[in-house]
Amino acid sequence: MELSKKAMSIKASTTMAISSRAAEMKAAGLDVVSFGAGEPDFNTPAHISQAGIDAIHNGQTRYTPAAGMPELRKAVCDKLKRDNGLEYEPAQVVISNGAKHSLINTFMAILNEGDEVIIPAPFWLSYSEMVRIAGGVPVIIYTKKENQFMMTKEELENAYTEKTKAVVLTTPSNPTGQVMSKADLEMVAEFAISHDILVIADEIYEKLIYDEGKEHISIASLSKEIYDRTIVINGVSKSYAMTGWRIGYAAAPLPIAKLMASLQSHMASNPNTIAQVATITALNGPQDCVAEMCVEFKKRRDYIYEREEGIPLISALKPQGAFYLFADVSGTYGKSYDGQEIKTAADFASILLEKKYVAVVPCADFGMPDYIRLSYATSMELIKEGMDRIEAMVKELK
C-alpha cells in the first residue's frame, strides 16, 4: 500500500527531535542542560489557572462553536484594539489549538496548488512545511546578518512572481530575536499592496521586547489597505506561559476567517473549552504577570549574550525580543573535539549534546545551516551551567 507522498515529504521538527533526545538522556540519568524548545519555564499565572479550575467545577466542559467561544473572540478583539490599535469584529477571529494551528488554517484557507509564499530566512522551521502541506511552494529569502536579518525591498522584489500569494512576517523573530522597525514594516506593506498579496503576521512574541526604543507594531495597523491584506496570528503560549493550554488565534478579513472556521470545524472542531475560559481571564485580567516574566527574560537575555560574546569562534546579534540567542558557529568548522571534526552546525550541536550534555537546536531547517539556536526560556542557574559547558567545549577544540 502506498501512503501519502505529501505526508512523507514533510520534515520532522528539529526542535522536537532535540527535545526528545535530551529527555531520553535525562531519563537515563544524565545531567542534561537543554536550550531546546521555546517554552517558558514559568508556571501559568495563578489567576489564569484558577479560571480553568473554576471552569471545570462550573461544568464548562462542553463543545463551543468551532471558531471559539463568543466571549473569547470578543476578548481577542478588545485585546487587539487595546494593544495593537486594530479594529476587528468577533466574526473575523478564529480561536484554534495554538498559534501553530492558526497558521496551518491560514495556509489551507488561502493557498491553491502551486501558490508561492515568501518566507524570510532564518524562519521558524514549521512555516515552510505548513506551506507544503497546504499545496503551496515556499520561496525563501536568505537575509543577511549585516541587515539584522531583515528583508530588503530588492530581495522582496526578486522573490516575487505571478504565483506569489503571501509573505510571512515574524516579529519579534524566532529564531533571531530581532524586532521589525516601523520602516521595515512600511516597506513590506507597500510591497504587499502594490502586488496585491497577503501578509501573514506572526506576532506570538509581541509582549517579549527588551530594549528601550524598540516596540511591537502590528503591520495591519499601518493603513486600511494593508489591514485588508493581513492575517494576524497570535496566542497565549509565550506571553502567559500557557504552552500546554494550546490556545492561539487568527484575526483576518471576514472571507478568510469564515474559510478558516469552516476548515477547523471539520478537522478539529472547537479548541479545549476549559483553556478557552482561562484565556478570557488571561486577556481581560491583570497584565502584571506578563511584565514580570518579561523582566526576568531580559536578565537572562543580557547574561546569555554577554557569555556568548566571551566565547571564541562563536558570534551573535544581541536579541531584541523573544527568548532565543541565534549564534553563528561556523568559526568552529575544521576543528575537532575528541577526534570528531566539526563541519556543520549540526555536528557542533551533536558533539555538544553527546559530550557536554547540552542541547541546542542546529538551524539548517530554519534556513541558516551555520547557526544554532539557544532558548533562554529556562532558569538562570541552568543558563549559567550550560554556557560554562559550551565555553569549555569550544576552548577544548583542536
Side-chain angles (χ1 to χ4, degrees), residues 34-298:
S34 180
F35 291 117
E39 180 172 35
D41 60 317
F42 304 106
N43 290 327
T44 301
H47 69 289
I48 299 172
S49 295
Q50 188 60 52
I53 294 168
D54 291 344
I56 295 172
H57 290 314
N58 294 335
Q60 292 177 284
T61 57
R62 300 182 183 279
Y63 293 134
T64 74
M69 299 172 66
E71 301 94 325
L72 178 52
R73 295 164 85 182
K74 175 64 164 57
V76 168
C77 292
D78 292 343
K79 180 267 172 211
L80 291 169
K81 182 175 182 178
R82 178 180 68 240
D83 295 349
N84 309 108
L86 296 172
E87 295 275 358
Y88 287 98
E89 296 296 323
Q92 294 177 268
V93 173
V94 179
I95 312 298
S96 301
N97 299 285
K100 183 180 283 191
H101 189 193
S102 298
L103 283 161
I104 191 66
N105 280 345
T106 298
F107 291 124
M108 295 190 75
I110 68 172
L111 296 180
N112 291 307
E113 202 72 26
D115 282 348
E116 295 176 352
V117 178
I118 297 173
I119 304 173
F123 52 85
W124 179 52
L125 75 172
S126 290
Y127 292 144
S128 58
E129 302 310 308
M130 289 178 179
V131 169
R132 292 188 181 100
I133 290 170
V137 178
V139 175
I140 309 302
I141 292 177
Y142 295 95
T143 63
K144 299 177 177 62
K145 183 179 179 181
E146 54 265 35
N147 294 330
Q148 282 68 53
F149 299 113
M150 296 296 163
M151 295 180 291
T152 66
K153 183 176 181 181
E154 182 181 15
E155 287 170 336
L156 269 172
E157 292 291 351
N158 289 340
Y160 176 80
T161 74
E162 291 183 355
K163 293 183 178 180
T164 303
K165 178 64 70 72
V167 59
V168 176
L169 301 183
T170 317
T171 181
S173 165
N174 172 11
T176 70
Q178 299 304 300
V179 177
M180 294 185 74
S181 68
K182 186 175 183 182
D184 293 324
L185 293 167
E186 287 174 338
M187 182 273 291
V188 176
E190 180 183 339
F191 169 80
I193 293 166
S194 65
H195 291 293
D196 192 24
I197 65 170
L198 297 168
V199 173
I200 301 165
D202 186 346
E203 303 184 355
I204 192 71
Y205 295 98
E206 66 161 329
K207 299 291 186 181
L208 303 177
I209 296 178
Y210 312 118
D211 295 336
E212 291 287 336
K214 289 291 179 181
E215 61 176 337
H216 174 75
I217 301 171
S218 288
I219 190 170
S221 69
L222 297 179
S223 69
K224 184 179 187 306
E225 290 82 2
I226 194 61
Y227 169 92
D228 289 339
R229 291 171 172 81
T230 300
I231 300 115
V232 175
I233 307 293
N234 211 323
V236 292
S237 292
K238 314 300 185 181
S239 299
Y240 298 93
M242 294 177 67
T243 51
W245 296 78
R246 307 311 304 137
I247 295 293
Y249 58 83
L254 187 59
I256 296 174
K258 285 182 175 179
L259 285 178
M260 292 171 68
S262 178
L263 285 165
Q264 184 165 296
S265 72
H266 293 291
M267 293 190 295
S269 193
N270 65 275
N272 182 285
T273 302
I274 298 151
Q276 289 190 64
V277 175
T279 301
I280 294 171
T281 294
L283 296 178
N284 289 344
Q287 302 298 300
D288 305 25
C289 54
V290 178
E292 290 166 3
M293 286 188 276
C294 192
V295 168
E296 183 59 31
F297 281 133
K298 182 179 185 300

